[in-house]
Amino acid sequence: MSEFTVQAAGPVASWTVSWESPGATAVTTAWGMTCGIRSSTVTCRGDGWAGSLAAGQTVRVGLQVAAPAAPSAPRLSVDAD
């Protein structure tokens, strides 16, 4: 299980986070996000109660990924609109 906190500096209509996770085969559970895997890249988009954020708002989201091991030092790529 992995959890992380998303905090908005300004209003955010939508956000996406992605990272490389070699060997990952499926996202088995996610909360606050819709996630998928393509070519070893996990991509999650804020969804439902965590989809849009007001300035200064913080949400805690998470997921479980089926993989032989967790990435040792994942680099997160974040996009927000």
Side-chain angles (χ1 to χ4, degrees), residues 9-68:
V12 174
S14 65
W15 58 270
T16 303
V17 62
S18 60
W19 64 95
E20 291 295 314
S21 186
T25 58
V27 175
T28 58
T29 305
W31 53 98
M33 305 179 291
T34 300
C35 302
I37 299 173
R38 185 176 203 174
S39 300
S40 296
T41 300
V42 178
T43 302
C44 298
R45 177 180 46 83
D47 195 25
W49 53 268
S52 61
L53 305 171
Q57 182 179 358
T58 300
V59 293
R60 176 169 248 152
V61 294
L63 72 160
Q64 292 179 315
V65 176

